[in-house]
Amino acid sequence: MEDNKKIVKTKQRLDWNVVSYFMQMFYGFTAVMQDEGFRERFDPLYK
């Protein structure tokens, strides 16, 4: 039986993936994420 899966590989810079990973970690800190001033600045930066 023929396997119809296709694999797509892209090259990405490691540094932006690391930054994204660390920014995602902030969502685990509820006290920080409940701060409205922080969220006003963080959400647009994360997006």
Side-chain angles (χ1 to χ4, degrees):
M1 187 169 172
E2 188 176 316
D3 190 8
N4 290 331
K5 293 182 182 178
K6 293 184 180 181
I7 298 174
V8 176
K9 295 181 181 183
T10 62
K11 288 186 178 184
Q12 297 178 341
R13 291 182 53 134
L14 178 63
D15 51 353
W16 286 112
N17 285 309
V18 172
V19 169
S20 176
Y21 172 75
F22 280 114
M23 289 182 75
Q24 289 176 14
M25 289 183 4
F26 278 103
Y27 284 107
F29 298 105
T30 54
V32 173
M33 296 309 286
Q34 289 176 350
D35 183 296
E36 290 181 23
F38 178 79
R39 287 296 295 261
E40 285 178 4
R41 293 169 181 86
F42 179 78
D43 287 340
L45 180 63
Y46 184 72
K47 292 177 184 173

